[in-house]
Amino acid sequence: MNTRDPFNIRRQAPAPAFAYANYFTRRNSNQPGPQVQFRQTSGSRDQSTGPEDVNKPTKAGGASLLTGADMSSYGQPVPSGSDSRQPTMQPRRATNPPQNSTNGVSEKLGNMLSPAKENEELPMYKDKPYNYSPSQRKPPIYRRWRLPLMLLALLVVLLYLSGAHSKIPKPTSIHRTGDEKPKGSFGVFSGKKKSTANWSERRERVRDAFKVSWAAYEKSAWGYDEFHPMSQTSRQMVEPNGVGWIIVDALDTMILMNLTSQLNHAREWVSTTLSYDLNHDINTFETTIRMLGGLLSAHWLSETYPNMAPVPKVKGSQGEDLYLEKATDLADRLMGAYESPSGIPYASVNLHQRKGLPSHADGGASSTAEAATLQLEMKYLAKLTGEKNYWDAAEKIMKVIDDNGMKDGLLPIFISAQDGKFAGNNIRLGSRGDSYYEYLIKQYLQTSSKEPIYLELWDQALAGIQKHLITYTKYANMTVLGERPNGLDDQIFPKMDHLVCFMPGTIALGVTGGKTVAQAKESGNWSDKQEREMKLAKELMKTCWGMYQVTATGLAPEIGHFRLHDPAIMMSDGIPKSIDELTQSSNIQWRMDYDIHIADFHNVQRPEFVESLFYMWRITGDQTYRDWGWEIFESFEKHTVLPDGKGYSSVNNVDQVPPPTRDNMESFWLSETLKYFYLLFGPDDILPLDEVVINTEAHPFPRFEPGKLFSTGWKRKPRDREGNIINENAAAATNEAPAAASSKNA
């Protein structure tokens, strides 16, 4: 999911810190030498730069000299051929850097004033190591007890060899169960694993985390769009009553978790307080995926699973159509965004005026992901209501985009609502590009495989990704889905947003259509292409998992950079052999492949990797993915939970223990991250993947048959074998001869 500032009211990001103490100390590792490089840059962030802005990095391996925008999130581009030019780079979506002072005084005061927590990890820079023991100052006593001690040691060894130790229970930490394997010891390609873990209990732990988060929100921020749990403060995005940013986004999570009382409270607020007649501009995309998607999902789940968090019938209420009525009203107001000269929706819309507005930044362009991540919601609403205008408006976007004829199905991240043409050459699957690709395969699956045009688009894009964006790290040959900031003909850039970690799960979904691998193979349609794509999904999972394993907290940074071969090895050069496991104690070369920048150390409770864990577990049945998920959940429990029932918070630095908080709880913590954890640890018959599609905000919809009213209303322009658009008249002339011959033969 591509999270931006939907109301254009975020505060200016503070300047990045210039120093961190002890960054090269790592948990569970006493290995010498470099593991992760931490790069410091200077400059300021420009939160309103457009696609035309150019930033020129200098000095390989050193600090970047910046022009206009902070380049701290960029590393050094790696040539994939002989071209050594530096790429033109687009600034990524603004994010807040860590907020530690340069002299560390505030951090020390915070540590002194904060109460000690049970089982809290000791700082690794303490002057005495854990195995320290005082010197022996009485040799005579030692000599007197030497023989008894040796006999005692021998007895212990004999007891161990006899198996007596098996009667002693293994110690467990406050958040770890005894049946769990050590951190980082799980293989990726070992097949389906057996587990003695109690997954029902673990799922209940996730439910408890939601209840704690929700209770803190109810107590201190009820009805507000933003919640700052540490300070127990809140804020509306739009006065006076907000848009239900947190409440509506979490409705279907409460239904799935069977949280009846919490759902009833939320539903009452939706019924009596929520109104979208707001004279304020809001982000078209974010409002669609969160609010419209949340209402539609709540409607479907409450109709399909009435025993999940049942709602009592209240006299005079709007009844079971409450969610659908609110969704229809919101969609009608959002339709103003689609009234552009090209059909590409404007980035923002005034809900009261029902009028679309160009972006306040980015030169007025819409982002590609935002324009092309509205279709699941609008098409499902069209099916529910029979109103074809929703379908047609969402579908037209896809035609306008495809008519650009971009090479190998890979698109720049900005597109103009005025003329429907792309702006700039920046191609990536991170922010502003990600969910365009996600919705290609999901549109195909949503309408029960009745619209093959979207499968064709997905296959073309995935082939393009493998051709142009897949590369490999220098030390462990790990798979990286990189970026092309200056177009496909320029250098590849070794950067992966955490957002990109949605991709392996989506690839697996495209391979099997939601069935298990075993079922897909039994169908007889399994091919070398599917085998290669599943292998790619597994390798990308390993790279994303490393983003968690490489930090002190076990939580991933917002962005990862990587060290590549020079020149870069691409997939077409042959796939190099990579390591099977990412271990903490043995081969640590893989750690040297990760290059995390200071400005990117924050974690905002993102769901993308947990989402892929859920898909990969359901599709492959490999226990590894559940185990990884549990380990990540424990890290969230250990490092992001706040004292005194205040809930959970994002953190500023995942490589500092304890991490400083950002004092913010994103709505997707409730709607996505905890939901995916809950589904990952739950039974497979809840939301079976071959019967549903899940939108980019984790709101599930049913698959459906389009019927007579709805069908694909557009066709792709003719293309040559290389995918380039050809003149339609020439194409018609080429096809006439075979058609005439066929008619004569008949």
Side-chain angles (χ1 to χ4, degrees):
M1 185 200 65
N2 176 10
T3 303
R4 301 181 61 198
D5 177 8
F7 297 89
N8 304 291
I9 55 176
R10 295 287 190 204
R11 293 181 292 275
Q12 180 72 21
F18 294 104
Y20 281 105
N22 216 32
Y23 268 132
F24 288 95
T25 306
R26 282 291 177 275
R27 74 187 157 162
N28 301 327
S29 177
N30 295 319
Q31 301 293 330
Q35 295 182 1
V36 180
Q37 175 179 336
F38 304 98
R39 179 170 304 169
Q40 176 179 312
T41 58
S42 60
S44 60
R45 291 191 183 277
D46 181 355
Q47 300 190 48
S48 60
T49 49
E52 64 277 353
D53 289 329
V54 177
N55 300 291
K56 298 179 180 178
T58 63
K59 292 186 181 180
S64 299
L65 300 180
L66 309 179
T67 304
D70 178 15
M71 296 297 294
S72 60
S73 64
Y74 289 101
Q76 201 67 15
V78 178
S80 54
S82 60
D83 190 353
S84 61
R85 292 172 296 166
Q86 299 289 346
T88 302
M89 301 183 188
Q90 303 295 345
R92 67 173 175 84
R93 169 177 44 81
T95 53
N96 294 333
Q99 299 176 0
N100 290 17
S101 63
T102 57
N103 59 16
V105 173
S106 60
E107 176 189 334
K108 293 177 181 177
L109 287 174
N111 292 338
M112 292 169 61
L113 297 175
S114 299
K117 298 175 184 176
E118 185 180 358
N119 290 341
E120 186 175 275
E121 290 185 13
L122 292 174
M124 297 187 71
Y125 56 81
K126 286 291 185 181
D127 54 351
K128 292 183 181 180
Y130 297 123
N131 61 352
Y132 173 86
S133 60
S135 62
Q136 302 292 338
R137 298 186 179 275
K138 297 182 179 181
I141 295 177
Y142 168 77
R143 292 191 184 99
R144 250 193 326 264
W145 286 93
R146 180 168 54 186
L147 182 58
L149 288 172
M150 291 175 64
L151 292 173
L152 180 61
L154 180 61
L155 178 62
V156 169
V157 171
L158 291 173
L159 287 172
Y160 178 85
L161 294 175
S162 68
H165 69 287
S166 62
K167 298 179 181 179
I168 302 174
K170 296 180 181 179
T172 59
S173 69
I174 190 170
H175 286 315
R176 190 175 292 275
T177 58
D179 52 41
E180 193 170 8
K181 295 185 179 181
K183 174 182 273 287
S185 64
F186 308 111
V188 178
F189 308 114
S190 53
K192 191 167 183 177
K193 294 173 178 257
K194 294 181 180 179
S195 174
T196 58
N198 189 325
W199 292 105
S200 295
E201 288 184 2
R202 292 182 173 186
R203 183 172 66 146
E204 192 63 24
R205 283 273 301 280
V206 176
R207 189 170 181 263
D208 289 341
F210 183 96
K211 289 164 69 176
V212 169
S213 301
W214 189 259
Y217 171 71
E218 278 187 313
K219 178 181 177 182
S220 302
W222 182 248
Y224 281 82
D225 295 321
E226 292 184 8
F227 176 40
H228 308 291
M230 191 67 187
S231 59
Q232 296 289 283
T233 58
S234 56
R235 190 167 73 103
Q236 293 291 23
M237 292 177 169
V238 181
E239 297 293 345
N241 296 319
V243 293
W245 209 247
I246 293 176
I247 293 176
V248 173
D249 215 10
L251 288 170
D252 56 2
T253 306
M254 288 183 279
I255 295 174
L256 289 168
M257 292 184 176
N258 200 24
L259 296 173
T260 305
S261 61
Q262 292 89 339
L263 179 65
N264 285 339
H265 191 195
R267 183 182 171 87
E268 179 186 9
W269 184 89
V270 170
S271 176
T272 60
T273 306
L274 179 62
S275 172
Y276 289 114
D277 188 10
L278 302 168
N279 192 19
H280 196 289
D281 58 304
I282 65 173
N283 183 273
T284 306
F285 158 76
E286 296 283 3
T287 306
T288 298
I289 65 168
R290 299 184 193 221
M291 302 297 96
L292 183 59
L295 290 166
L296 291 173
S297 178
H299 168 76
W300 175 64
L301 287 174
S302 62
E303 292 280 318
T304 306
Y305 302 101
N307 294 326
M308 287 185 176
V311 176
K313 296 292 179 13
V314 179
K315 185 177 180 180
S317 71
Q318 297 184 58
E320 295 180 358
D321 291 331
L322 170 64
Y323 301 135
L324 184 56
E325 289 177 10
K326 292 290 185 181
T328 303
D329 174 65
L330 175 59
D332 289 342
R333 298 175 185 279
L334 289 169
M335 288 297 290
Y338 295 78
E339 296 174 2
S340 71
S342 68
I344 296 295
Y346 289 109
S348 299
V349 59
N350 184 297
L351 292 180
H352 174 72
Q353 299 175 5
R354 307 186 183 210
K355 179 181 179 181
L357 301 166
S359 172
H360 298 289
D362 309 321
S366 299
S367 80
T368 302
E370 294 183 346
T373 312
L374 314 168
Q375 286 68 24
L376 296 185
E377 296 79 6
M378 286 298 188
K379 285 184 169 183
Y380 181 45
L381 181 61
K383 181 67 176 179
L384 286 173
T385 63
E387 298 293 336
K388 199 169 183 294
N389 59 313
Y390 304 133
W391 181 288
D392 293 341
E395 192 178 57
K396 183 177 180 181
I397 298 167
M398 303 307 299
K399 174 175 171 52
V400 174
I401 287 175
D402 192 57
D403 281 353
N404 279 271
M406 301 309 296
K407 183 178 179 180
D408 293 330
L410 301 180
L411 313 182
I413 60 173
F414 291 104
I415 188 168
S416 169
Q418 294 300 316
D419 60 13
K421 303 300 181 184
F422 286 107
N425 298 310
N426 194 342
I427 294 173
R428 66 184 185 215
L429 269 74
S431 62
R432 303 181 184 274
D434 50 0
S435 46
Y436 160 74
Y437 303 94
E438 175 189 357
Y439 269 35
L440 292 179
I441 188 62
K442 289 184 176 180
Q443 284 188 78
Y444 171 67
L445 297 175
Q446 181 184 37
T447 52
S448 303
S449 307
K450 294 299 191 294
E451 297 185 278
I453 192 170
Y454 297 112
L455 178 61
E456 181 183 339
L457 289 168
W458 164 255
D459 283 339
Q460 181 186 13
L462 184 55
I465 289 167
Q466 294 175 81
K467 179 179 178 181
H468 298 287
L469 300 182
I470 295 297
T471 185
Y472 303 94
T473 61
K474 180 177 181 179
Y475 296 103
N477 289 324
M478 299 180 69
T479 301
V480 174
L481 204 170
E483 302 180 355
R484 296 276 185 173
N486 208 32
L488 296 181
D489 296 327
D490 210 87
Q491 301 157 352
I492 191 166
F493 199 79
K495 167 176 170 280
M496 277 178 62
D497 295 0
H498 185 274
L499 289 165
V500 177
C501 290
F502 84 92
M503 192 61 180
T506 303
I507 291 173
L509 178 66
V511 169
T512 71
K515 293 181 170 61
T516 66
V517 169
Q519 290 171 335
K521 289 183 176 180
E522 287 173 3
S523 68
N525 295 323
W526 195 261
S527 64
D528 290 342
K529 172 179 176 292
Q530 290 169 300
E531 192 70 38
R532 286 194 306 272
E533 291 174 359
M534 278 303 304
K535 174 74 171 178
L536 175 61
K538 291 178 180 180
E539 290 291 345
L540 287 172
M541 288 295 286
K542 186 170 59 179
T543 304
C544 289
W545 172 236
M547 292 174 69
Y548 287 80
Q549 290 287 282
V550 81
T551 69
T553 60
L555 296 173
E558 178 75 357
I559 295 172
H561 295 76
F562 300 87
R563 296 182 178 88
L564 305 183
H565 296 277
D566 187 8
I569 296 176
M570 305 304 294
M571 202 171 188
S572 58
D573 299 324
I575 301 174
K577 180 174 176 51
S578 178
I579 58 175
D580 287 341
E581 296 182 355
L582 307 184
T583 59
Q584 295 292 343
S585 57
S586 58
N587 183 353
I588 62 167
Q589 276 194 320
W590 64 270
R591 287 176 164 273
M592 299 172 64
D593 285 328
Y594 288 80
D595 177 15
I596 312 300
H597 296 190
I598 287 177
D600 303 325
F601 267 113
H602 54 287
N603 180 291
V604 293
Q605 307 166 303
R606 285 201 182 278
E608 287 78 22
F609 186 54
V610 187
E611 172 186 350
S612 280
L613 288 171
F614 163 66
Y615 279 106
M616 293 297 285
W617 157 248
R618 287 281 188 94
I619 290 170
T620 70
D622 189 338
Q623 188 67 42
T624 295
Y625 301 118
R626 263 186 160 182
D627 291 330
W628 287 357
W630 176 246
E631 191 170 315
I632 293 170
F633 177 74
E634 285 195 306
S635 294
F636 275 120
E637 286 274 273
K638 185 172 185 178
H639 298 295
T640 71
V641 68
L642 299 174
D644 305 321
K646 290 182 177 180
Y648 293 72
S649 175
S650 303
V651 295
N652 261 334
N653 184 1
V654 294
D655 210 56
Q656 179 179 333
V657 178
T661 67
R662 292 171 71 87
D663 193 18
N664 188 56
M665 183 193 77
E666 295 286 353
S667 75
F668 51 72
W669 168 248
L670 302 176
S671 69
E672 294 190 76
T673 308
L674 289 178
K675 182 188 294 169
Y676 279 126
F677 275 130
Y678 189 76
L679 293 170
L680 174 64
F681 302 152
D684 293 353
D685 58 352
I686 302 298
L687 302 183
L689 290 181
D690 58 348
E691 297 179 12
V692 303
V693 288
I694 303 176
N695 90 335
T696 198
E697 188 74 3
H699 297 309
F701 306 144
R703 300 190 189 186
F704 59 84
E705 296 280 345
K708 295 181 179 180
L709 183 60
F710 304 106
S711 61
T712 308
W714 67 285
K715 295 181 180 179
R716 302 190 74 187
K717 289 183 176 180
R719 286 164 167 77
D720 60 22
R721 291 183 177 180
E722 309 216 341
N724 301 311
I725 293 177
I726 60 178
N727 183 280
E728 293 189 25
N729 293 330
T734 301
N735 292 331
E736 262 180 23
S742 176
S743 175
K744 184 179 292 186
N745 292 336

